[in-house]
Amino acid sequence: MQIAVLKERRAGESRVAASPDTVKKFIAAGAKVTVETGAGAGSSFNDSVFQDAGATIAPSAAAAAGSADMVFKIQKPMTAAEGLDEVSYLKSGSILMCSLGALTDKPLMQALATQGVTSFALELMPRISRAQAMDILSSQSNLAGYKAVVDAAATFGKAMPMMMTAAGTIAPARVLIFGAGVAGLQAIATAKRMGAVVYATDVRYATKEQVESLGGKFIVVDEEKMKAAQTAGGYAKEMDDDFKKKQADAVHAEVLKADIVITTALIPGRPAPKLVTAAMVAGMKNGSVIVDLAAEAGGNVEGTVKDQATVTANGVTILGYTNMSSRLGRDASSLFAKNILNFVTPMLEKDTGNLKINWDDELVKGTLVTKDGAIVHSGLAG
């Protein structure tokens, strides 16, 4: 089997969908790997390290993908309407694996189907125990939560931990985190390690124990509704207006007291819920910092501007980076590449490296979007 790894061309993307380690393992499994030249430059993997791992370097995306049976990318392919038609590089019958944004971009899914490409949307990986090592959302969110705190601390004009000095005592920073999923929990852990006092809120009551185990203080809004607010897949449900009002009232006072606010609330396939209003931001202290990790989906904060740091009239800085994990390109690439390796390895026959996909496998059915010229995912039916 021939694998191609393509360079990412979307603005702000530094990651690559392979690492020298995963290239070695695919080759050991009997596959051949071609990497487009410069694909790893943004994550400090130059062409030579891929060559040393056994990969062939191709001069272009078209050359890399032209004979490939399977293509790896981080982000979805660009289309002609975006100025570059990456879909056209993919041969009919080839397999594409990347974060497709499948539920929100049906035209691209139709283009892939028309091209004859079998595509897997890795962001749709089922949240079951067997899939944990293949879950790109978890691996990338983990890094995003860490980086959110680091960026906030770098922007915040005061110290994070309590400091007792001969000249006086410095109070610890007060951090409020919305959402206790993977990103939120990592943000809690990182902020605590840096010495901050941390509060957290989530619509799912089940996260209370996890927050408290990391040293955070959990804000309870409506216990009964929170206990019913988690889907079977582990995601947060969108809450009704009554709960949203109660949540806003409960956290308003905490927002006003916070030095740093980090928001992480996302709903798959839907715009991000607005959790921090303009009025809340206007009431925060001068010098406070907000990091909106939901910026790509419209943001949890009123006033977030995608990929910009915005300073409000009252001196609050809102960071709206849409690809936080990419700001840690080397580690993010290594984890993403390992997720792909863990997903693809069971599809390869031992010794020969030939592809043998079990189309009835739960993980395959959960991520498969296009096959045999059609869109086949249930979430895109109709």
Side-chain angles (χ1 to χ4, degrees), residues 313-373:
N314 59 317
V316 177
T317 301
I318 304 174
L319 304 180
Y321 303 126
T322 59
N323 193 352
M324 189 66 82
S325 58
S326 182
R327 294 164 65 80
L328 296 168
R330 189 181 182 96
D331 287 334
S333 297
S334 294
L335 293 180
F336 195 107
K338 193 65 178 293
N339 293 147
I340 292 178
L341 174 71
N342 292 334
F343 184 40
V344 174
T345 297
M347 301 177 183
L348 302 179
E349 288 185 330
K350 289 184 179 180
D351 302 322
T352 68
N354 293 330
L355 197 60
K356 189 175 182 180
I357 300 176
N358 176 9
W359 299 106
D360 293 322
D361 183 86
E362 183 178 4
L363 305 185
V364 171
K365 290 195 291 186
T367 53
L368 181 65
V369 178
T370 62
K371 183 175 183 283
D372 298 330

Side-chain angles (χ1 to χ4, degrees), residues 115 130 154 182 219 229 241 245 248 254 356 358 362 370 372:
Q115 186 74 5
R130 184 163 63 93
V182 175
I219 302 170
D241 291 341
K245 184 180 184 305
E254 294 299 332
K356 189 175 182 180
N358 176 9
E362 183 178 4
T370 62
D372 298 330

Side-chain angles (χ1 to χ4, degrees), residues 257-320:
K257 290 184 284 186
D259 297 303
I260 293 171
V261 173
I262 297 172
T263 66
T264 71
L266 289 166
I267 301 170
R270 300 284 297 278
K274 293 297 182 202
L275 303 177
V276 180
T277 66
M280 291 180 187
V281 176
M284 293 179 71
K285 297 173 287 187
N286 189 303
S288 300
V289 179
I290 300 173
V291 182
D292 191 343
L293 287 180
E296 189 169 9
N300 297 140
V301 182
E302 289 185 350
T304 294
V305 179
K306 285 186 178 182
D307 292 315
Q308 289 188 29
T310 305
V311 181
T312 66
N314 59 317
V316 177
T317 301
I318 304 174
L319 304 180

Side-chain angles (χ1 to χ4, degrees), residues 4-10 13 15-18 36 61 70-78 86-87 89-90 96-100 120 122 136 336 340:
V5 181
L6 303 189
K7 181 179 180 179
E8 300 299 319
R9 288 172 167 80
R10 293 187 181 277
E13 184 55 77
R15 295 171 293 175
V16 61
E36 181 186 355
M70 187 173 284
V71 175
F72 297 160
K73 286 183 88 292
I74 297 286
Q75 296 208 33
K76 61 186 179 182
M78 298 177 73
E86 289 186 293
V87 174
Y89 300 152
L90 307 174
L96 172 66
M97 293 200 174
C98 65
S99 179
L100 276 176
F120 289 87
L122 300 180
I136 63 167
F336 195 107
I340 292 178

Side-chain angles (χ1 to χ4, degrees), residues 16-64:
V16 61
S19 68
D21 180 59
T22 61
V23 167
K24 287 180 183 177
K25 289 179 178 177
F26 276 121
I27 291 174
K32 296 179 180 179
V33 181
T34 299
V35 178
E36 181 186 355
T37 184
S43 48
S44 302
F45 293 134
N46 56 33
D47 290 351
S48 63
V49 300
F50 283 120
Q51 285 179 307
D52 292 343
T56 300
I57 304 300
S60 67

Side-chain angles (χ1 to χ4, degrees), residues 99 121-143 182 233-235 332 335-343 363 367:
S99 179
L122 300 180
E123 76 277 7
L124 299 180
M125 187 67 65
R127 290 231 162 157
I128 59 176
S129 297
R130 184 163 63 93
Q132 288 180 352
M134 311 168 193
D135 188 350
I136 63 167
L137 296 182
S138 291
S139 72
Q140 303 304 292
S141 293
N142 209 336
L143 290 172
V182 175
Y235 295 101
L335 293 180
F336 195 107
K338 193 65 178 293
N339 293 147
I340 292 178
L341 174 71
N342 292 334
F343 184 40
L363 305 185
T367 53

